[in-house]
Amino acid sequence: MDAYIVTLIMFASMLILMSTSLPIVYCLGSVGTLAAIFLWGPEALDVVYFSTLELMNNLVLSAVPLFIFMGFVLHESRIGKDLFDTVYLCSGRLRGALGMGTMLLCALMAAMLGVSSATVLSMGVIAVPAMLQKKYNRSLAVGIVQAGGALGFLIPPSMMMVMYAFISGVSVGKLFAGGIVPGLLLTAFYLLFIAVLSWLRPDVAPAMDKSETVSLSVKLRSLGELALPLLLIFAILGSIFFGVTSPTEAAAIGAAGSLVCAAIKRRLTLEVLRKACRQTFAICGFAAYLIIAALVFSKVYTGLGATVMIKNLVLGLDPNPIVVMALIQLSFFILGMFMDDIAILFMCMPIYIPIITGLGFDPLWFGILFVVNMQMAYITPPYGLNLFYMRAVAPKEVSLKDIYLGAVPFIIIQAILLCILMLFPGLVTWLPNLIFQN
């Protein structure tokens, strides 16, 4: 049977199964396994066995559970609460200052946690009620936390970058370095949006009352809470960028460092460890099954030669490279509205990476574009995961409409960043080339 037809049937079957609300892991795994048996017989079930071994034997992916564990230890030990208290004290009487401080805190937590869910859950419980108490607009308050939580995709350490490195062969360290400038740029765009909006509409992000302001000495003392998080971030990223450790070893440093931080705060209890381990196992177990299912699915159409055929077809048309890249990014955005980011990564990259390398694009740059797109997916209705996390922890007065509307301006800002990065690849590649000169 023609490889194009088989691939088309596989993707159509997967989409039909997804429309029945069956979990994505079963949609991918069942279609991939049945297609393998249909094409090559029962012995083709070895593809499941070898996909599992490929996952288990990869040292790059072993960084994922370590970073996730680090994130949940910091989350459960309430270090985020201490940081928000600092932001609250230092916000002063500038309109929108509490919102801007919350966004900066989300960026800092993204660099500590690497897990979007932990940031959204922490700040959803702490920051959203505080902003609502200060008469912030409900949509703006939840939008800040949803978008800020998604910064964990772009600001290293990023789980999605580690997984992209596994499938593309790009250095994890280079991906981490490539995400720093776009991450800082996106954070600056967010802050500018909040500042301008609060200036144009003082009612949506009012300043604190004069009676709530504190002295400069109190603010300076509160800044001491930043010491541990900043040291932890430097230990992780510095050890990678200075060539002291591999990314996996840096993840181990981060995991151990999170335990030290919790111990210094006198919050390292058996209950904290139990909750952190349980959530880490849950996320890693889900991700492992999803990766295996996606690997089986992709290996079938790769084994058919569909990947090479599609690459040759696209390159044979002599297309405009930027148009192809724009269409690929559009496909990511549409898929991200309905599918899990891990599934998109392992399904699409075996097809897309040969095409973009054939067009002369840098896979490092392409990886950061993909990460920005998946960041958009996490806050894009109807199935953005950060929207559901926010719904779970938001105060009762916050409606689903508020949550959806709050995401819209930040999706637009993310789309603007995506276009800027497409037009100016040097924003991604400059720092990796500077740090990793070989």
Side-chain angles (χ1 to χ4, degrees):
M1 188 179 293
D2 186 88
Y4 290 124
I5 296 176
V6 174
T7 304
L8 182 62
I9 292 173
M10 289 176 64
F11 276 89
S13 301
M14 180 201 65
L15 294 174
I16 291 171
L17 287 176
M18 284 178 57
S19 67
T20 67
S21 299
L22 194 68
I24 183 68
V25 64
Y26 299 128
C27 301
L28 286 169
S30 60
V31 171
T33 303
L34 291 174
I37 294 172
F38 174 77
L39 291 168
W40 301 301
E43 62 272 14
L45 286 175
D46 286 347
V47 72
V48 179
Y49 171 73
F50 287 113
S51 296
T52 305
L53 282 184
E54 183 178 353
L55 174 66
M56 294 173 63
N57 291 332
N58 189 275
L59 291 177
V60 173
L61 285 183
S62 61
V64 172
L66 292 169
F67 279 132
I68 293 175
F69 176 75
M70 175 189 73
F72 279 113
V73 168
L74 295 172
H75 169 64
E76 294 297 338
S77 58
R78 304 190 311 281
I79 288 177
K81 172 69 166 61
D82 297 338
L83 294 175
F84 181 77
D85 291 341
T86 299
V87 167
Y88 188 85
L89 290 172
C90 296
S91 57
R93 291 190 39 75
L94 178 67
R95 281 193 304 226
L98 185 57
M100 289 186 281
T102 300
M103 184 60 75
L104 284 172
L105 177 54
C106 286
L108 179 62
M109 292 186 68
M112 286 195 305
L113 307 184
V115 184
S116 178
S117 59
T119 305
V120 174
L121 292 172
S122 294
M123 292 297 99
V125 171
I126 300 166
V128 171
M131 285 188 281
L132 295 182
Q133 185 182 5
K134 301 307 170 190
K135 309 301 182 185
Y136 269 62
N137 177 272
R138 290 196 297 266
S139 294
L140 178 62
V142 296
I144 288 171
V145 174
Q146 289 169 170
L151 285 170
F153 274 83
L154 194 53
I155 298 177
S158 164
M159 300 304 98
M160 185 50 58
M161 291 182 187
V162 175
M163 293 185 188
Y164 177 80
F166 164 69
I167 202 168
S168 68
V170 177
S171 161
V172 176
K174 288 185 176 180
L175 286 166
F176 281 2
I180 290 177
V181 172
L184 295 176
L185 192 59
L186 183 58
T187 304
F189 286 168
Y190 287 161
L191 295 175
L192 181 62
F193 165 71
I194 298 169
V196 172
L197 182 64
S198 59
W199 179 68
L200 294 175
R201 295 184 55 192
D203 57 305
V204 302
M208 293 174 61
D209 293 335
K210 190 174 182 179
S211 60
E212 296 178 298
T213 57
V214 297
S215 65
L216 179 61
S217 61
V218 173
K219 292 179 180 179
L220 291 175
R221 283 199 302 271
S222 70
L223 291 175
E225 295 292 343
L226 298 175
L228 284 177
L230 291 177
L231 282 173
L232 183 61
I233 293 168
F234 179 78
I236 296 169
L237 299 184
S239 62
I240 295 174
F241 295 158
F242 290 116
V244 178
T245 67
S246 68
T248 303
E249 292 165 339
I253 291 174
S258 67
L259 296 174
V260 172
C261 290
I264 291 174
K265 292 286 187 178
R266 299 177 184 271
R267 297 171 189 165
L268 184 58
T269 64
L270 288 176
E271 182 64 14
V272 166
L273 287 174
R274 185 187 68 81
K275 288 183 178 179
C277 289
R278 183 174 182 179
Q279 292 176 93
T280 301
F281 293 152
I283 291 179
C284 291
F286 165 78
Y289 281 117
L290 187 53
I291 291 172
I292 292 169
L295 282 174
V296 170
F297 187 92
S298 64
K299 284 181 182 298
V300 172
Y301 63 72
T302 301
L304 283 168
T307 301
V308 176
M309 292 175 65
I310 294 171
K311 171 191 172 183
N312 292 337
L313 175 65
V314 172
L315 298 182
L317 297 174
D318 194 23
N320 185 316
I322 291 297
V323 172
V324 174
M325 182 61 73
L327 291 174
I328 288 175
Q329 298 306 316
L330 180 61
S331 72
F332 284 149
F333 179 77
I334 294 172
L335 288 171
M337 295 174 66
F338 305 101
M339 290 180 62
D340 186 88
D341 52 318
I342 300 175
I344 297 171
L345 173 70
F346 284 88
M347 264 187 4
C348 296
M349 288 307 172
I351 295 175
Y352 287 160
I353 288 178
I355 292 174
I356 64 105
T357 53
L359 291 171
F361 291 127
D362 187 343
L364 166 64
W365 171 63
F366 180 66
I368 299 301
L369 294 181
F370 171 74
V371 168
V372 173
N373 221 314
M374 292 302 98
Q375 184 182 26
M376 294 170 64
Y378 255 55
I379 63 171
T380 302
Y383 297 118
L385 285 180
N386 279 6
L387 308 179
F388 294 116
Y389 293 141
M390 180 55 65
R391 183 60 176 167
V393 298
K396 292 181 179 179
E397 65 265 31
V398 176
S399 67
L400 188 61
K401 179 182 177 182
D402 294 327
I403 291 173
Y404 280 5
L405 288 177
V408 172
F410 295 99
I411 295 172
I412 294 171
I413 294 171
Q414 290 169 337
I416 292 171
L417 176 72
L418 184 65
C419 293
I420 291 173
L421 296 181
M422 288 179 64
L423 294 174
F424 303 100
L427 291 171
V428 173
T429 58
W430 169 74
L431 190 57
N433 291 339
L434 181 66
I435 296 174
F436 305 95
Q437 295 181 359
N438 52 330

